[in-house]
Amino acid sequence: MKHVINQVATAMVMAWGCGAVQGVSQDEISDEISDEISDEISDEDILRERNLIHLEGIPAPALSVTDWLNTPDGKPLVLDALQGQVVLIDFWGTWCAPCRATIPHLKELYEFFAEDGLVIIGVHSTRDSRGVDRFVKEQGINYPVAIDKRRETWAAFEGDSYPDYFLIDRNGILRFADLETTEISRAVVLLLKEEALER
């Protein structure tokens, strides 16, 4: 059932982005997707690697990167300033074929849910980071990208593969560490449904 729900969410987002859904607003599809995500589904139902469970339930590590692309006015993003939004961290590299394969989905996801409070940050590996800005433009990547030249952010999140996904809730808490690629849509919708605690 969990995979069916995830496929429904992904298919609807992709169909809307490609113009396949005519005469239906983004809000209507968003509501339908949310209805597909049962209130009974908990964090434990979301598939991810269990070896990083110790990182979950606590504030996410800070982003310690050297350069940024696709940010407002070219300024760095700070996770503390993004509280109230759901943040998906994607560790990736231009040299990584599975990373490149997920870019279209991440672009659609960002376009679809940005108004609902989703922020995606692509953290690029230090392995041959030359030409990242050109690659981002050529691929039409529409979300912020950070360059982790010193691997400090990778180390803080205990990354172990590419791509690697980490999802932070509206309160700045790391909820899903090393999230399975197939679960991204479902996990994002689950956290977007939650309200931020008053600070």
Side-chain angles (χ1 to χ4, degrees):
M1 182 63 177
K2 63 183 68 175
H3 295 293
V4 171
I5 292 173
N6 186 62
Q7 290 167 6
V8 168
T10 301
M12 294 182 75
V13 170
M14 295 295 283
W16 178 85
C18 295
V21 179
Q22 301 293 329
V24 181
S25 71
Q26 178 176 342
D27 288 340
E28 290 174 313
I29 293 181
S30 182
D31 289 342
E32 188 167 344
I33 291 174
S34 293
D35 289 341
E36 293 287 344
I37 307 297
S38 169
D39 289 333
E40 296 179 359
I41 293 177
S42 69
D43 288 16
E44 292 304 313
D45 297 311
I46 302 295
L47 298 177
R48 68 268 202 196
E49 294 294 330
R50 307 307 296 181
N51 59 320
L52 296 182
I53 195 74
H54 60 280
L55 294 177
E56 298 181 353
I58 59 177
L63 300 176
S64 180
V65 297
T66 53
D67 300 294
W68 285 91
L69 303 169
N70 287 352
T71 61
D73 301 320
K75 295 180 178 178
L77 298 183
V78 179
L79 289 181
D80 284 347
L82 296 177
Q83 288 197 24
Q85 301 178 83
V86 172
V87 181
L88 175 65
I89 305 292
D90 166 30
F91 287 99
W92 71 293
T94 57
W95 46 268
C96 165
C99 301
R100 296 197 303 270
T102 62
I103 288 174
H105 173 56
L106 294 178
K107 288 165 54 179
E108 296 289 353
L109 200 67
Y110 182 65
E111 180 181 355
F112 195 85
F113 287 117
E115 291 185 2
D116 296 315
L118 175 65
V119 175
I120 296 178
I121 299 175
V123 179
H124 191 276
S125 160
T126 56
R127 177 178 167 183
D128 194 7
S129 60
R130 295 169 296 177
V132 177
D133 52 347
R134 184 178 68 251
F135 182 88
V136 167
K137 291 176 182 176
E138 289 175 350
Q139 297 297 315
I141 294 175
N142 51 355
Y143 47 85
V145 173
I147 309 300
D148 189 22
K149 288 183 179 178
R150 296 187 296 264
R151 295 180 63 89
E152 292 177 0
T153 301
W154 170 262
F157 279 83
E158 300 184 27
D160 61 4
S161 63
Y162 292 97
D164 241 354
Y165 303 100
F166 296 77
L167 197 57
I168 302 165
D169 70 15
R170 295 185 188 273
N171 302 303
I173 301 300
L174 181 56
R175 291 279 290 279
F176 301 117
D178 207 354
L179 181 66
E180 292 283 346
T181 305
T182 57
E183 293 282 60
I184 294 173
S185 298
R186 196 166 71 117
V188 163
V189 173
L190 186 65
L191 294 194
L192 285 175
K193 291 179 67 177
E194 298 180 351
E195 298 292 335
L197 298 174
E198 291 190 14
R199 301 168 64 185

